[in-house]
Amino acid sequence: MSYVNGNERIIIDRQNKKCKINEARSYTEYLKLDRLLSSQIMLSPQRNIVTYDEHLFIITHQAFELWFKQILFEIDLIRKSFTINLWVKEPEMFNVFKRIGRITTIFKLLLEHFSVLESMHPCDFAEFRDLLTPASGFQSLQFRLIENKLGLKTETRVCCSQSYPECFDETQRLEFERTAAEPTLFMLVGHWLECTPDLLDDAVWERYRKAADRWLQDSKKIGITRLEKRRQILSTVFDSDQHKALVEQGHRILSHKALKGAILIYSYRQENGYGLANRILESLVDLDTILSKWRYHHLVMVHKMIGSHNLGTGGTSGTEYLKSTLSDSYKMFIDLINLPALLIPSSYLPPLIKTQQEL
């Protein structure tokens, strides 16, 4: 922790000892611009190749990695927040919402980076592309750590000529494996949802079931096929065995208890205590969605630059590999994305607390 005392910056270490550091830092010194701006070393001049777009390529990818570092910083803070009981720490819940939104905003910014890369002509990219081999964006450790910390499982990753963590050096491999074994944001969100207020109140769910039955009864005009499908989907909300079967088949990830918690939060988002929680769930859906858009934009950019039959510089199948990462298996919060199919209209919702008529 640091703070400013007069003209001096004081830093307090873990032993609460005060240590003076440089009183004044210039903009260049503070941002370490001498190192940052001297890190763009092009290979093409060394091979007597006349091309200027390699500089753009390096700058853009270094910018990606800087933003990836910030995203990892935010994810670690979010995961730390989820280790406490957020239901009794509303200010901390707001911080979680704010930081998830920040990550989404960063990814929106990164989408524009692809537009910058697409300002290169494919022929100009071809001038220096072979010089990159065997380097590849596939080997971005920070992006893989983002996936790990959000909740992408190693076994879910698409197999190709390179694999994780074999494409990393020993130090990177240890970091990849360490983060893959840590509690993920997905896991922590699941535990938080399992602690949703009113979740264990059987009376709440009995009223919710009756309301769902009334909705189904009034839905007969939609047709037998659609009605039966709607009935089957809703039955998984109340039957833990049906939910377990869907998990085993790979169609759901959240526990039955966590899923019911999410349903309560979405359904009663206007009730005291649920509004901010609902915004967190919506922000997680936004994050998963923007990450899918990022993958898609990456695919489109690569397709434009190298076509559909070129291998990646790192040995992957190029566009075919990128297409495979657009599946639902790469969406960490797919259960939240699919949640609307499990909800009943607000006009049918019973009150959380028994009414006088029920009493």
Side-chain angles (χ1 to χ4, degrees):
M1 180 176 67
S2 63
Y3 61 93
V4 175
N5 183 8
N7 293 323
E8 296 180 336
R9 181 182 296 272
I10 307 297
I11 186 167
I12 302 178
D13 63 15
R14 292 179 180 177
Q15 288 76 39
N16 292 320
K17 295 178 181 178
K18 295 183 178 181
C19 307
K20 295 181 181 179
I21 60 177
N22 294 337
E23 291 186 6
R25 290 173 179 265
S26 69
Y27 179 80
T28 298
E29 290 172 330
Y30 179 70
L31 295 179
K32 301 294 185 293
L33 293 183
D34 52 343
R35 283 184 279 172
L36 184 64
L37 300 181
S38 61
S39 299
Q40 295 75 43
I41 311 299
M42 295 190 293
L43 297 177
S44 49
Q46 303 171 31
R47 308 292 177 87
N48 295 319
I49 298 174
V50 180
T51 179
Y52 302 103
D53 283 347
E54 186 185 3
H55 193 270
L56 173 71
F57 186 86
I58 293 172
I59 286 283
T60 307
H61 283 78
Q62 286 178 340
F64 272 128
E65 293 296 330
L66 281 172
W67 283 119
F68 289 164
K69 185 173 183 179
Q70 183 63 36
I71 289 170
L72 287 168
F73 183 81
E74 301 292 344
I75 292 175
D76 285 341
L77 290 174
I78 294 167
R79 290 194 305 165
K80 183 178 179 182
S81 293
F82 270 111
T83 60
I84 64 176
N85 184 1
L86 287 183
W87 290 109
V88 296
K89 297 280 187 179
E90 189 165 295
E92 197 65 28
M93 195 182 291
F94 178 78
N95 285 334
V96 167
F97 166 70
K98 179 182 70 175
R99 294 190 183 283
I100 297 172
R102 178 177 295 166
I103 295 173
T104 300
T105 301
I106 292 172
F107 269 116
K108 287 179 181 177
L109 174 64
L110 295 184
L111 292 182
E112 296 302 318
H113 285 34
F114 291 126
S115 299
V116 177
L117 284 172
E118 288 176 347
S119 69
M120 290 190 300
H121 193 280
C123 292
D124 295 328
F125 180 47
E127 289 291 338
F128 66 89
R129 181 173 183 259
D130 287 346
L131 302 180
L132 307 179
T133 305
S136 167
F138 181 86
Q139 301 158 354
S140 171
L141 176 64
Q142 289 199 118
F143 188 73
R144 304 310 162 194
L145 298 186
I146 289 172
E147 292 176 326
N148 279 353
K149 293 186 178 190
L150 288 178
L152 183 64
K153 297 179 181 179
T154 302
E155 59 269 24
T156 302
R157 295 182 182 278
V158 176
C159 295
C160 53
S161 56
Q162 286 201 46
S163 59
Y164 303 109
E166 285 74 17
C167 68
F168 301 130
D169 62 34
E170 184 177 356
T171 301
Q172 292 175 323
R173 188 179 303 121
L174 290 174
E175 181 69 0
F176 177 88
E177 292 174 343
R178 182 185 67 80
T179 56
E182 288 179 343
T184 66
L185 180 58
F186 170 82
M187 293 169 56
L188 294 168
V189 168
H191 294 325
W192 171 64
L193 289 173
E194 290 176 351
C195 297
T196 304
D198 301 304
L199 181 60
L200 300 180
D201 189 339
D202 291 336
V204 168
W205 286 106
E206 183 58 29
R207 292 196 295 275
Y208 192 93
R209 183 198 293 271
K210 290 179 179 178
D213 288 340
R214 287 196 300 273
W215 180 48
L216 291 172
Q217 183 67 26
D218 294 344
S219 301
K220 290 182 178 180
K221 61 183 179 182
I222 67 174
I224 296 176
T225 302
R226 289 180 60 195
L227 177 60
E228 185 57 30
K229 181 64 176 178
R230 183 176 288 178
R231 191 186 305 277
Q232 290 175 359
I233 293 174
L234 278 176
S235 67
T236 66
V237 173
F238 307 104
D239 190 326
S240 59
D241 289 335
Q242 289 188 43
H243 176 86
K244 182 180 178 182
L246 290 173
V247 171
E248 291 173 348
Q249 295 164 15
H251 299 309
R252 283 196 191 154
I253 312 174
L254 285 171
S255 71
H256 189 230
K257 191 175 180 181
L259 185 73
K260 290 171 70 176
I263 289 172
L264 280 183
I265 293 171
Y266 262 52
S267 298
Y268 295 99
R269 59 194 177 280
Q270 296 178 339
E271 299 287 337
N272 289 336
Y274 281 165
L276 195 48
N278 177 74
R279 295 176 76 183
I280 288 177
L281 294 188
E282 289 183 328
S283 68
L284 290 170
V285 170
D286 289 342
L287 173 56
D288 226 342
T289 301
I290 197 66
L291 190 50
S292 293
K293 289 181 180 178
W294 188 90
R295 295 184 194 278
Y296 176 73
H297 277 65
H298 187 195
L299 165 65
V300 170
M301 184 272 295
V302 171
H303 196 184
K304 180 179 178 181
M305 289 297 159
I306 70 172
S308 58
H309 301 295
N310 253 326
L311 294 178
T313 52
T316 70
S317 57
T319 56
E320 290 305 311
Y321 163 72
L322 294 176
K323 283 180 185 177
S324 65
T325 65
L326 298 177
S327 68
D328 283 352
S329 63
Y330 270 70
K331 297 181 177 68
M332 276 65 76
F333 296 97
I334 185 64
D335 285 350
L336 297 181
I337 295 174
N338 290 333
L339 203 61
L342 303 175
L343 304 176
I344 64 176
S346 298
S347 57
Y348 284 84
L349 277 178
L352 276 178
I353 302 174
K354 286 185 178 181
T355 62
Q356 281 291 42
Q357 185 176 0
E358 292 177 300
L359 295 172

